[in-house]
């Protein structure tokens, strides 16, 4: 922009300077009658009729321009009258501020016009979704979203009261709550609304933990421990992502992952089993690679459970991340601990077995009590995850 701005100033200035220099040159040459006569002959000036026509055109141009100006002023006056006739619409913000705009103004334009900070990473082109608002009172009277707006809304939320401020033109008064801070960045682009607000949904939760790593790490230098752990986390993270899951967090030597957050729970359960299988495969590979660095192979225990949880973005500033909280998460963690007690690689709950559709009839089932949970839970214990029919 600075370069274009510079060019926009420089080009007309140079043109004017050129005109000035040329004018002086012509004035100097015109003092010579012979040159003047030759110049007049070569430029063939108009005859008296032509001169009259030029003066007539001059008048017609001025009248035409005056007419255009009058038409613009009349159109503005007409629009003002129509606005008065149709009335203004009010947009109320969460802090109680009310902005009155003409119908046809977008919510984002209203915010900007009133100096209310409002996120708009894509500049109001309906692409980023950072301008989204939750519409309270008056939502039912809003015009329906255009196809383009509806497409973006489908990607970020299923709630009909969420709209893009840059695309929504209220025709009657409404109350809005911007859902992202005005300082939103491209990182927030198309982030799901429900996640930021917290939403209950059914997901599959996987916990995995290294067995006996503290003993293994006892005689290692801290540098070696960090190296081994990072290789382990990379291997487990890859297995989870390859199966379509999402790493929730690494806790100590453990991993928590979520499956089916954006899809259905059946697909989530299948993905969780696939991830467990992938983790076991990668662990075999890792043990082969690190054979000279480890006194004994790494071992893991995995627990998988599925159920309703609250999925939302929790944390503070840069430490904010999408996570799940709820009883199902605690149960999955307890199943992982139970895998140690049962001396198996994987313990998964009956709901996961049923919803994954996998044939697990070859593996023993048992009814267990889970600490902190009333009633019993049927689980499937699998000694070797690689035996899973994936
Ligand atoms: S400003 Fe980007 S979608 Fe509205």
């Amino acid at each position: 922009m600075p370069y274009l701005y510079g060019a926009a100033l420089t080009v007309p200035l140079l043109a004017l300077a050129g005109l000035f220099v040329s004018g002086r040159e012509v004035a100097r040459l015109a003092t010579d009658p012979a040159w003047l006569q030759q110049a007049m002959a070569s430029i063939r000036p108009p005859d008296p009729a032509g001169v009259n026509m030029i003066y007539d055109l001059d008048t017609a141009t001025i009248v035409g321009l005056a007419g255009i100006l009058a038409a613009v002023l009349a159109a503005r006056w007409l629009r003002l009258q129509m606005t008065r006739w149709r009335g203004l619409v009010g947009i109320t913000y969460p802090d109680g501020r009310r902005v009155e705009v003409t119908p046809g103004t977008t919510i984002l334009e209203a915010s900007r016009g009133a100096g209310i900070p409002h996120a708009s990473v894509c500049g109001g082109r309906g692409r980023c979704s950072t301008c989204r608002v939750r519409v309270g009172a008056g939502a039912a009277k809003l015009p329906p979203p255009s196809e383009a707006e509806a497409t973006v809304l489908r990607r970020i939320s299923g709630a009909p009261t969420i709209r893009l401020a840059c695309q929504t033109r209220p025709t009657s008064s409404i109350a809005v709550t911007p859902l992202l801070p005005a300082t939103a960045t491209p990182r927030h682009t198309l982030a799901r609304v429900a996640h930021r607000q917290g939403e209950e949904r059914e997901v599959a939760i996987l916990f995995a933990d290294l067995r006996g790593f503290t003993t293994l790490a006892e005689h290692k230098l801290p540098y070696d421990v960090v190296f081994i752990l990072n290789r382990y986390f990379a291997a487990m993270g890859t297995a989870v992502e390859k199966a379509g899951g999402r790493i929730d967090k690494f806790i100590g030597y453990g991993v928590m992952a979520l499956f089916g957050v954006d899809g259905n729970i059946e697909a989530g359960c299948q993905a969780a089993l696939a991830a467990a299988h992938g983790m076991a495969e990668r662990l075999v590979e890792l043990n082969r690679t690190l054979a000279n660095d480890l006194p004994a192979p790494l071992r893991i225990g995995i627990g998988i459970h599925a159920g309703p949880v609250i999925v939302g973005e929790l944390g503070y500033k840069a430490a904010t991340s999408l996570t799940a909280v709820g009883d199902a998460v605690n149960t999955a963690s307890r199943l992982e601990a139970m895998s140690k007690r049962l001396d198996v690689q994987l313990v998964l709950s009956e709901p996961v077995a049923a919803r994954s559709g996998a044939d697990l009839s070859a593996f023993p089932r048992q009814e267990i009590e889970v600490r902190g949970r009333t009633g019993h839970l049927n689980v499937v214990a699998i000694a070797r995850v690689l035996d899973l029919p994936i």
Side-chain angles (χ1 to χ4, degrees), residues 108 119-131 164 166:
L108 183 63
S120 59
V121 167
C122 74
R125 286 179 295 153
R127 307 248 175 90
C128 67
S129 85
T130 53
C131 63
L164 297 184
C166 67

Side-chain angles (χ1 to χ4, degrees), residues 171-241:
T171 49
S172 57
S173 293
I174 52 168
V176 299
T177 306
L179 292 177
L180 292 183
T183 51
T185 64
R187 189 174 74 83
H188 297 95
T189 298
L190 298 177
R192 284 187 65 81
V193 171
H195 292 167
R196 292 192 62 76
Q197 305 301 302
E199 180 189 50
E200 184 176 292
R201 51 176 57 209
E202 276 198 298
V203 298
I205 310 112
L206 177 151
F207 273 89
D209 201 12
L210 275 180
R211 296 277 173 259
F213 187 73
T214 315
T215 319
L216 283 188
E218 229 165 38
H219 304 295
K220 294 252 160 239
L221 292 171
Y223 173 83
D224 293 333
V225 173
V226 169
F227 171 75
I228 293 168
L229 279 178
N230 276 332
R231 295 289 300 268
Y232 160 73
F233 287 142
M236 300 302 107
T238 310
V240 167
E241 285 177 359

Side-chain angles (χ1 to χ4, degrees), residues 22-34:
S22 303
R24 280 198 356 179
E25 178 70 6
V26 169
R28 189 181 62 76
L29 290 170
T31 54
D32 176 359

